[in-house]
Amino acid sequence: MTESVGLPPPGVILILGGLLLPLLRRAAPAVALLLPLLTLGYIWALPGDLSVTLPFMDQQLTVLSWQPATRVFATIFALMAFGGALFAHPITGLASERGKRWRVELPAAFVYAGSAICVTFAGDILTLFMFWELMAVGSTAVVWSAGTEGSARAGMRYALVHLVGGVVLMAGILAHVFALQSQGVPDPLALSHFAFGPAGFDALSCGPGDVAAWLILLGVLVNAAAPPLGAWLADAYPEASESGTVFLSAFTTKTAVYVLMLLFAGTELLIYVGLAMAVYGIVYAILENDMRRILAYSIVNQVGFMVCGIGIGTAMALNGAAAHAFAHIIYKALLLMSAGSVLYMTGKRKCTDLGGLYHSMPITMVCGIVGALAISSFPLTSGFVTKSMINQAAADQHLALAWFVLTAASAGVFLHAGIKFPWFVFFQKDSGLRPPDPPWNMRAAMIFFAALCVLLGVPGVYQPLYAILPFPAPADVELYVPYTGAHVLSQLQLLLFSGLAFFVLLPVLKRTLTITLDSDWFYRTLAPASWKHLLSPLMRAFGEVRDGFIGGLPDDLKRLVYSPPAEESWFREWGLGGAMITITGILFVYLVLGFVP
């Protein structure tokens, strides 16, 4: 293995470049398109056996190390950053409303994307954790950059959920340290115990007494949006801007898939978690009226396929999970670009307010249909050559329940994302809306991703994707053959009957103007109601009792017991936001100083 000190991981290009974008003024839009391409070139220029370490508190963090799935995930993350930047391009100028938002949103999105790439190159759990948390900061800023009241509230809930997930993940790391101490391992804080490898964190088994593994798994599943921990996804993603949602769809859940693949491959529990996610996402997507919430729940459904594949744990299943993550990022971004274009041109997001847009938005419609076919695994699209690998792995291992549920879930995907989204948005009733297709940059991004969806489904063209999967086949053996007569025929039959079921059930699928609450009911409804009707009255009553008691005391004793701070005092009470910013700043400075020899 080639070792080097001082060479940064590829994601740093996006992180630092994104932070510098606001200073570049007129050159910023062009540089924004160049940065992801530079990152992609850097990823492919790095030797496959390179390892890079940086000093940290008398230890060495491995900030660049190749894992089996690094190249496929890092590549698609860089491609996604380029496509997202093109879609978000401030064509109307930096002085416009969209341009002002872009100056906040794109730097945050690049920090988010760059951190995700750095996660894929992390060689130890501490490096992974640092970039994992930086992802949460960047993605929260993307949600907030929409600048609406809904995005402000959703962003705060999103941040709190991911901070809790990060705390659970760190608790798992600390539990690992305590476990090493109890085993009498010398120097349990040495970073060699946190490296990914046979003696490190590749050995997590989630046994009955393995607290560290369970906590780490729970922390990762929060980011994977596994129910009931995943309500944050459908709550926050639709509240971002039309371009912000595209970025958000790509990184958080897929880095969780990557980490699950790295640490928990073959964990049987994940089979059932994945199956639950696959069904759960379909049910809620069918119930939804908001077109972007439909697609948000569809993310949960699709990630369920990947998680199930990781649980199966065979080479075919892990290849299928990685390949499907690659394809999913592209077609999900395409679907959200199509929905975002409709939102941008009409200002409407409810399916009941839309319809008939095929008259005036033909490019958006065609690209949306291509994305819908790809997510439904239609032959000659990317989904057909990736998702079927997971089904095949379930069949190879004689996992009948997994195979039947995944097959039924594939039919459900065609119902909610393959037909429901394009039908209600572009066809059904004529809403009378006649907006044109969006600006050229948004059209170009959609056409680019639509072309990738088709090309990756063409026999022979998808082979380069298969070649970078975690377990590539020998030169004289074909990794997987998706285009067999039986497979094509069975998939077409499945889609045909799913389509028939959609139109038979069409009266039932028409939705009201409301949204469907998930487990977010606890913090969106129960918590505010509890505060308003229970906790707040109790606190007021306590305050009245306290004031009455103190008011009856002599003045000297009163000052001794209670002295309210003056408003202008340096010691006045801080708000939660100020305290969080200060603590985060202190931790960041401490982290930076840790790299100083």
Side-chain angles (χ1 to χ4, degrees):
M1 176 179 289
T2 305
E3 295 188 2
S4 177
V5 177
L7 195 66
V12 172
I13 294 176
L14 280 178
I15 296 172
L16 296 182
L19 294 176
L20 292 174
L21 276 180
L23 305 178
L24 300 180
R25 299 184 182 276
R26 293 185 178 180
V31 173
L33 296 178
L34 182 62
L35 287 173
L37 298 179
L38 289 175
T39 304
L40 182 61
Y42 186 16
I43 291 168
W44 280 87
L46 288 171
D49 61 346
L50 181 65
S51 177
V52 176
T53 60
L54 286 178
F56 179 72
M57 298 175 62
D58 298 327
Q59 301 281 350
Q60 295 290 322
L61 286 178
T62 306
V63 297
L64 196 160
S65 177
W66 289 94
Q67 308 298 332
T70 295
R71 193 177 296 278
V72 63
F73 278 88
T75 297
I76 189 55
F77 286 165
L79 278 174
M80 179 62 232
F82 172 76
L86 179 59
F87 188 76
H89 192 282
I91 184 65
T92 52
L94 292 175
S96 66
E97 197 63 35
R98 180 180 170 93
K100 292 176 182 177
R101 189 191 70 216
W102 181 90
R103 286 185 289 184
V104 176
E105 181 179 272
L106 199 66
F110 275 6
V111 170
Y112 180 32
S115 301
I117 293 174
C118 288
V119 165
T120 67
F121 279 96
D124 58 74
I125 193 72
L126 292 181
T127 302
L128 185 149
F129 176 79
M130 287 189 291
F131 288 113
W132 185 271
E133 291 301 284
L134 190 57
M135 279 176 54
V137 174
S139 55
T140 301
V142 170
V143 176
W144 277 336
S145 65
T148 64
E149 182 180 351
S151 67
R153 292 172 180 265
M156 180 59 72
R157 294 190 292 266
Y158 177 91
L160 290 174
V161 168
H162 285 281
L163 286 174
V164 170
V167 168
V168 173
L169 181 59
M170 177 51 71
I173 297 172
L174 293 176
H176 182 67
V177 174
F178 297 146
L180 293 175
Q181 285 180 327
S182 65
Q183 296 167 13
V185 175
D187 194 10
L189 292 176
L191 289 181
S192 59
H193 299 308
F194 299 92
F196 298 130
F201 269 77
D202 280 358
L204 296 176
S205 60
C206 287
D210 195 346
V211 176
W214 281 105
L215 288 172
I216 291 171
L217 177 61
L218 183 61
V220 176
L221 287 178
V222 170
N223 273 27
L229 308 173
W232 57 265
L233 193 152
D235 177 25
Y237 285 11
E239 298 301 330
S241 71
E242 68 279 350
S243 51
T245 304
V246 173
F247 281 107
L248 292 168
S249 70
F251 303 112
T252 299
T253 52
K254 306 321 169 299
T255 50
V257 167
Y258 172 82
V259 175
L260 288 173
M261 188 178 299
L262 186 65
L263 300 180
F264 297 100
T267 301
E268 185 179 359
L269 173 66
L270 292 180
I271 297 176
Y272 304 103
V273 172
L275 295 179
M277 293 176 69
V279 175
Y280 184 88
I282 291 171
V283 171
Y284 271 91
I286 289 175
L287 293 174
E288 273 299 334
N289 181 28
D290 186 315
M291 60 179 174
R292 295 200 298 173
R293 284 178 66 89
I294 292 172
L295 298 177
Y297 276 115
S298 178
I299 295 175
V300 178
N301 159 262
Q302 293 294 287
V303 172
F305 280 82
M306 304 169 208
V307 172
C308 182
I310 294 168
I312 295 172
T314 63
M316 174 69 78
L318 295 177
N319 281 340
H324 194 47
F326 191 101
H328 173 264
I329 288 175
I330 296 172
Y331 62 62
K332 182 58 65 177
L334 177 58
L335 285 166
L336 286 166
M337 286 177 181
S338 178
S341 297
V342 170
L343 175 63
Y344 181 69
M345 300 307 296
T346 66
K348 299 183 182 297
R349 49 193 283 185
K350 303 287 188 182
C351 290
T352 45
D353 296 333
L354 296 166
L357 297 184
Y358 73 92
H359 291 290
S360 58
M361 301 185 73
I363 295 177
T364 305
M365 176 201 67
V366 170
C367 291
I369 289 175
V370 170
L373 292 176
I375 195 174
S376 305
S377 300
F378 197 85
L380 297 180
T381 65
S382 56
F384 182 78
V385 303
T386 59
K387 187 190 297 183
S388 53
M389 296 173 70
I390 301 173
N391 290 57
Q392 184 62 50
D396 292 343
Q397 297 302 306
H398 308 290
L399 299 172
L401 175 64
W403 187 88
F404 279 115
V405 173
L406 292 178
T407 301
S410 296
V413 170
F414 192 48
L415 276 177
H416 74 265
I419 301 181
K420 179 180 177 180
F421 164 69
W423 174 259
F424 282 113
V425 173
F426 296 106
F427 302 102
Q428 64 146 347
K429 63 179 177 65
D430 190 348
S431 62
L433 299 172
R434 292 295 183 269
D437 275 311
W440 69 265
N441 62 298
M442 301 173 82
R443 298 197 303 270
M446 287 190 290
I447 292 171
F448 173 56
F449 273 28
L452 288 177
C453 284
V454 173
L455 288 174
L456 288 174
V458 174
V461 181
Y462 57 77
Q463 293 302 335
L465 171 59
Y466 281 7
I468 62 172
L469 294 179
F471 302 97
D476 57 342
V477 178
E478 200 162 356
L479 178 69
Y480 174 63
V481 183
Y483 285 100
T484 63
H487 183 210
V488 172
L489 182 60
S490 64
Q491 187 65 18
L492 289 176
Q493 288 176 332
L494 184 70
L495 298 177
L496 175 64
F497 284 105
S498 298
L500 178 62
F502 174 83
F503 288 105
V504 170
L505 299 173
L506 189 57
V508 181
L509 295 175
K510 291 182 178 179
R511 303 305 304 153
T512 65
L513 295 174
T514 60
I515 66 169
T516 305
L517 288 178
D518 197 339
S519 57
D520 55 346
W521 176 84
F522 288 98
Y523 54 81
R524 293 183 65 174
T525 301
L526 180 61
S530 299
W531 172 262
K532 180 179 179 181
H533 300 294
L534 180 62
L535 297 179
S536 184
L538 284 175
M539 292 183 67
R540 283 199 301 269
F542 173 77
E544 291 172 0
V545 173
R546 180 201 63 191
D547 293 343
F549 172 75
I550 294 174
L553 296 175
D555 291 342
D556 292 340
L557 185 57
K558 187 188 303 183
R559 284 192 295 268
L560 181 63
V561 174
Y562 176 69
S563 179
E567 189 62 30
E568 65 276 6
S569 170
W570 284 100
F571 301 98
R572 63 184 180 272
E573 184 179 356
W574 280 17
L576 177 61
M580 288 181 64
I581 291 172
T582 303
I583 294 170
T584 303
I586 293 172
L587 291 175
F588 179 76
V589 171
Y590 180 75
L591 183 64
V592 171
L593 291 176
F595 283 101
V596 179

